[in-house]
Each structure stands twice: as C-alpha cells, then as structure tokens.
Amino acid sequence: MAHVPFLFWIVAALQPRQVATCGVGAGVAHFAFCQGMDKQNIPGRCRGLGSWVGSSGKSGALEVPKALKEHGEQFYNDVSTLAAVADPYAMLQSLRSHSLDLLLVDLCELGEAEQPSYDEWLERLKPNGVLILHGIEALAGAPSQLSRIDAFLNGRERLEFRSGKGLAVVPLGGAHPPRLQALLKACPSGEVPGEVDLFFRRLGQGLEAVASNAALKPQLSKTRAAVKDAEKKVAAVEAEIKALEEAYEERSRKVAVSQSEAFAYQSQLAELQKAEAEHRLEAEKQANSLKEGLAASKAALEVEQRQRDEKEAELTRQLEAGATELEALKVDLTAAQAREAEVKAALDAETHARLEETAELTRQLEAGAAELEALKVEFTAAQAREAEAKAALEAETHTRFEETAELTHQLEAARQREAQAETEGEAIQAVRAELEAAQAEVTKLSLAVEAQTRTRFEETAALTRMLEEAQSHKAGLSGLQKQNETQRQHIEELKRELSEAHGVIDGLYQSTSWRVTAPMRRVKTMISKD
C-alpha cells in the first residue's frame, strides 16, 4: 500500500497498454494499475497472475479468490483479467515475449519457490518497457536472492525505493516519457532522493489511512448499532428499575400501613391487658368479699347451731308444744343447707383462685431461683475476693512470722551478747524488756491473725453450708440475701481489722523499743556480713 501512489504516477507517466502483475496476492498492485488506467482513460488490459489455492474443497486446486474476482468484474471488467497459475515459471510462460509495457513482479508473494532469472522477466517487456520488482528490502533474510538482485541491478539504470518492503524500477531502452526521464535524471545512482521517497511515502500513508478508515466504517456502523442496542437495553433496564422502585415504594407504603395497623393492634392489646388486670383485681376483691362472707356465714352457722341446740333442748322439754316450731326449724335448716351449698361453691371458686395464685407463686419462685443462681455467682466472686484477701493475709502473716523469727533470732543474739553488755546495765534491761514486750505483741498479733484466719475459714464453710441449704430450700431466698449482705459487711469488717493490724505493726515499727534496738540490728547485720 505504501507504493501505490508511485504505481498511479508511473501509469500516468508511461500510459501503458499492456500491464501484468506476477504475484497478485491481495490484489493491491493489480487493482492500482487497473484504477490508474481507468482514471487516465488508457485503453488496455491488466493481467493478474497468482498462485492461489482454491476453497472448493479439492486438494491442491488453483482458483482465483471469489472476492478478487467479484471486485474485478464489478469495477474493472473491461480492464482486469485474473488467472491462477501453479508457480513463477508458469506465470513466465503465460506471458508472451516483448508484449508488455509494464511488468510488476512481487517477490514477497512469490516467496521461496524457484523463480526465473530477472533477465527472463525482462524478455517479456517491449523495448521501452519497465520492470518493477517489489520486496527487494524483504530479501535481507535470504542472502542468495539478495546477491542475485544486487547483481541484476548493478550497472543498470534504475530507481530504488527503500521504504516499506522496497521497490526497484528498471526501465528498458532510452526513449522514456519526459516525467520518468526527469526522475531517472534526478537519481543518477539509482536511489531515489529522500524528499521524493518521502513524498510518495506520505501519499501511501494517506492511502493506508483511507483504507483503514474504510475498513473501520463497517465496524463503526456495527459499533453504533451495538450502542443503539445498548441504549435500548439501558432504557429497558431503567424502565425495569423504575418499575422496581415503584413496586418498592408501594411495598414501603404497605409496610407503613401494616406498621400503623400493628401499632393500633398493640394499643388495643395494651388496653385489653389493662382491662384484664382490672377484671382480675375485681375478681380478687370479689374473692376476698366471698371469703369474708364465708367467715360471716360460718360464724352465723355456729350461732345458729347453738341456738338450734338450745331450741332442741327447749323442744325436748316442750315436745308437744314444739311441733310447729320444729317445722319452722326444718325450713330454717333447708335455707341453711342452701346457704351452705352457696358457701361451698364460693369455697371451690376460692380454691381455684388459690391454685392460680400458687402457680403464679411457683413462677415467682422459679424467677427467685434464677436470681439465686445470680447471687450464687456473685457469692462465688465474693469467695474469690475473700480467697485473694486470705492469700494476702497469709502472705502478710508469713511476713510477720519471718519478722518474728528474725526478732527472735536477734533476741537470742542480744542474750548472747548480754554478758558483754553488762556495763550498760539498766539500758540493756530496758531494751530486753522492750524486746520481750515486742515479741509478746508480735506473738499476740500472730495468734490473732491465725484466729481470724480460722474464723474466716469457719465462716466460709458456714456460708457454703448456708448456700447449699438455700439451694435446697428456695423459700429462704430473702434470708440468704440478708446473710450475703451480712457476709459482705463481715468482709468489710475483716478488711478494717486487717488494716488495723497493719496499723499495729506499723506502730510497732515506729515504737521506741524498735528504734532503740536498731543499733543492735545493725550490729547483728554487720556480724552476719563478717
């Protein structure tokens, strides 16, 4: 495609009548010649020879491609002739000697097949004909063919285009058209000047761009069609989205209506529950009233029974006169039985109410059990804290025991040195007394701490037993809470006592006896270091 403008130019310069292309390939050069002759109104023929393998399915069959044939018949039917031949020699033999004005041999299309010599191609030209060899720069990878083309071109009048795959123009004779003669004169060495090559190359690039645009037009049309289809699909999707949004809004409206109805139902339910609570309270009041009436009826029955006994005694005495009164008593007895049945019914209702109350108390008891479990967890945490306090107390006790042992050891050392300190007399006696008092105080504190520790262990065991009893007797929940609070208070009391014990020990450290015995401790430390 890069050398097509030069082909147009040389057709216009030569005005050829017989043109041939050996190695048509895609038909670019052949149809360039056809177009040039058609535009210049040059009467003549363009023959295109190629080694195409047909697509009819027969193995090795030669056939002109359908696209090239249809293109030639449609646009250049009176100029173009295409034929499929086997090889370059068959192409050479199909051309008569000294019959062509212009012959183009495409070395790239002929490939590596065995080819005739370039002189044999020249024999097919008229005396003033022109041979064009395309692909001379593509022979760099084939040294033998490159040496052949160099030997052929050496010493000949020629034009060489190095751009693209390279193009060599070899004119015969000396009577050339003026324009071709001027170009040959401008190229004495055969190589086309850069500005001329650039001119034709730019024209070729423009043709390539036009061809690319032409090739892109169908793709552009397809792309535009695809864009339109996509826009239609987008519109359809947007319509679906709009429909979904409308459906969603409708659903939201229904949900809002449902929520308002649910709120109304909840309000009605709350009113019904409130009414039920009022009815239950009224029923409880009625049950209490029935209970009071039952108690009154029972008292009345007792009074009536006493009266009846008295009447029976009176009737015994007045048997004959009391027949009428007996009938009256029977009537009263029947009424009393009716009242007793009413009282029994009231008792049954009261019993049913008590059963419901018992079920409610059972539920409350289960809730209390859950609360008891929570208290148990809290009590476990309190035990853990008490264990920590116990560990700290034991550590403190151990420290005090070590200090007591140290004081005892110092006391023995002081007693050993007592003989040496007789000169100090009363001072030593006072120190000894203070040491003994300090030892007694430390011993007393240790015993107190041990007693408190045992007391805490006993209290912990008692609390554990109380917890087990509380678990077995859920009815004692309130008592266990009080005991737990007491235990907490007791723990706080223990903390206060422990703080007081620390204060006593700190007071011991700050006492006069401890300060007086400081020199003795230092002496003892020095002796132990020695």
Side-chain angles (χ1 to χ4, degrees):
M1 185 66 73
H3 300 295
V4 168
F6 177 76
L7 299 181
F8 288 156
W9 180 87
I10 199 167
V11 168
L14 293 178
Q15 297 290 311
R17 300 301 179 93
Q18 295 295 327
V19 180
T21 303
C22 294
V24 174
V28 175
H30 172 72
F31 289 119
F33 289 144
C34 292
Q35 185 177 0
M37 294 177 67
D38 183 63
K39 296 298 182 184
Q40 296 291 329
N41 294 320
I42 301 172
R45 301 293 294 178
C46 292
R47 296 187 63 189
L49 304 175
S51 300
W52 302 286
V53 177
S55 58
S56 59
K58 296 180 180 180
S59 177
L62 297 175
E63 183 182 353
V64 178
K66 183 179 179 181
L68 295 180
K69 183 185 295 184
E70 291 178 352
H71 185 76
E73 291 174 353
Q74 182 178 0
F75 295 101
Y76 311 110
N77 188 33
D78 56 342
V79 179
S80 173
T81 301
L82 295 172
V85 294
D87 52 48
Y89 281 99
M91 295 179 188
L92 181 66
Q93 293 173 2
S94 65
L95 300 174
R96 290 183 295 107
S97 299
H98 310 294
S99 61
L100 299 175
D101 296 310
L102 180 60
L103 172 62
L104 185 142
V105 179
D106 196 332
L107 303 177
C108 297
E109 292 295 335
L110 297 182
E112 299 180 357
E114 186 177 358
Q115 302 177 13
S117 66
Y118 300 114
D119 293 326
E120 288 177 314
W121 291 115
L122 289 176
E123 292 177 357
R124 298 303 185 262
L125 294 172
K126 293 178 180 180
N128 292 318
V130 175
L131 174 64
I132 300 176
L133 301 175
H134 177 254
I136 60 175
E137 291 295 323
L139 298 177
S144 60
Q145 295 186 19
L146 184 61
S147 60
R148 282 182 58 202
I149 192 67
D150 289 340
F152 172 71
L153 296 176
N154 190 17
R156 291 181 182 275
E157 190 178 25
R158 67 191 184 279
L159 296 173
E160 294 184 22
F161 293 87
R162 297 296 179 179
S163 60
K165 295 182 179 180
L167 192 71
V169 181
V170 181
L172 297 180
H176 305 305
R179 285 190 286 180
L180 179 58
Q181 185 64 39
L183 185 57
L184 290 170
K185 187 176 180 180
C187 308
S189 63
E191 188 171 352
V192 176
E195 60 272 14
V196 177
D197 188 15
L198 179 61
F199 172 75
F200 286 112
R201 188 168 67 250
R202 290 288 176 83
L203 290 176
Q205 291 173 352
L207 286 176
E208 288 179 349
V210 171
S212 299
N213 290 334
L216 289 175
K217 283 183 180 179
Q219 297 181 1
L220 182 59
S221 300
K222 292 181 180 178
T223 304
R224 288 176 178 173
V227 169
K228 289 182 179 179
D229 293 338
E231 289 176 351
K232 292 180 181 179
K233 291 180 180 179
V234 168
V237 171
E238 289 178 350
E240 292 178 359
I241 291 174
K242 186 176 180 181
L244 289 174
E245 289 177 350
E246 293 176 354
Y248 179 77
E249 291 177 356
E250 180 66 19
R251 180 180 175 276
S252 300
R253 187 184 63 79
K254 291 181 179 180
V255 168
V257 172
S258 300
Q259 289 178 349
S260 62
E261 292 177 354
F263 179 77
Y265 291 152
Q266 289 178 354
S267 300
Q268 294 177 2
L269 180 61
E271 292 177 358
L272 291 174
Q273 290 177 348
K274 182 178 179 181
E276 183 182 2
E278 292 176 355
H279 289 317
R280 186 178 296 174
L281 182 62
E282 184 66 23
E284 290 178 355
K285 289 181 180 179
Q286 292 178 1
N288 293 330
S289 178
L290 288 174
K291 185 176 180 181
E292 293 175 357
L294 180 63
S297 299
K298 186 177 180 181
L301 283 174
E302 291 176 354
V303 172
E304 190 173 350
Q305 184 67 33
R306 288 195 300 272
Q307 292 177 355
R308 187 168 54 194
D309 291 339
E310 292 175 357
K311 286 180 181 180
E312 285 178 357
E314 183 68 19
L315 286 172
T316 302
R317 291 189 299 270
Q318 299 177 359
L319 180 61
E320 295 175 355
T324 305
E325 294 180 1
L326 181 60
E327 293 295 331
L329 287 175
K330 288 182 178 180
V331 173
D332 293 336
L333 181 59
T334 302
Q337 289 177 350
R339 290 195 297 273
E340 183 178 3
E342 293 177 355
V343 170
K344 184 177 180 182
L347 283 174
D348 292 336
E350 182 68 20
T351 302
H352 180 69
R354 292 296 174 269
L355 288 175
E356 292 181 349
E357 291 177 357
T358 302
E360 180 65 26
L361 288 174
T362 302
R363 289 193 294 271
Q364 294 178 359
L365 185 59
E366 291 176 352
E371 186 176 0
L372 178 62
E373 292 295 331
L375 289 173
K376 181 179 178 181
V377 172
E378 186 176 357
F379 180 72
T380 303
Q383 284 182 335
R385 293 194 296 270
E386 183 180 2
E388 292 177 356
K390 177 182 175 184
L393 185 61
E394 289 177 354
E396 185 67 24
T397 304
H398 181 69
T399 303
R400 297 298 173 266
F401 285 160
E402 290 179 351
E403 292 176 354
T404 303
E406 181 65 23
L407 289 173
T408 304
H409 183 69
Q410 292 177 5
L411 181 60
E412 290 175 357
R415 287 175 178 174
Q416 291 176 0
R417 290 193 300 273
E418 184 178 2
Q420 298 175 0
E422 290 179 356
T423 55
E424 296 179 2
E426 295 179 358
I428 296 300
Q429 291 296 329
V431 169
R432 182 185 302 170
E434 290 179 359
L435 286 173
E436 291 176 353
Q439 182 178 3
E441 188 173 359
V442 169
T443 303
K444 181 179 179 182
L445 287 174
S446 299
L447 294 174
V449 169
E450 291 179 356
Q452 289 177 358
T453 302
R454 287 194 299 272
T455 303
R456 299 303 172 266
F457 287 156
E458 292 174 357
E459 289 175 352
T460 301
L463 287 174
T464 303
R465 289 192 298 273
M466 291 168 63
L467 179 62
E468 294 176 352
E469 291 176 359
Q471 291 176 347
S472 61
H473 303 286
K474 295 181 179 179
L477 176 62
S478 60
L480 180 58
Q481 292 176 345
K482 293 180 180 179
Q483 292 175 3
N484 189 18
E485 184 64 27
T486 303
Q487 178 63 18
R488 292 179 182 174
Q489 296 176 358
H490 199 50
I491 290 172
E492 294 296 330
E493 184 66 25
L494 286 177
K495 289 181 179 179
R496 287 195 295 273
E497 291 179 0
L498 181 60
S499 178
E500 291 175 359
H502 285 304
V504 171
I505 294 172
D506 292 338
L508 176 62
Y509 286 150
Q510 299 295 328
S511 64
T512 304
S513 60
W514 186 263
R515 290 196 299 272
V516 168
T517 56
M520 298 176 64
R521 290 195 298 275
R522 285 195 295 271
V523 170
K524 185 255 181 185
T525 303
M526 293 172 62
I527 293 172
S528 62
K529 287 182 179 180
D530 293 338

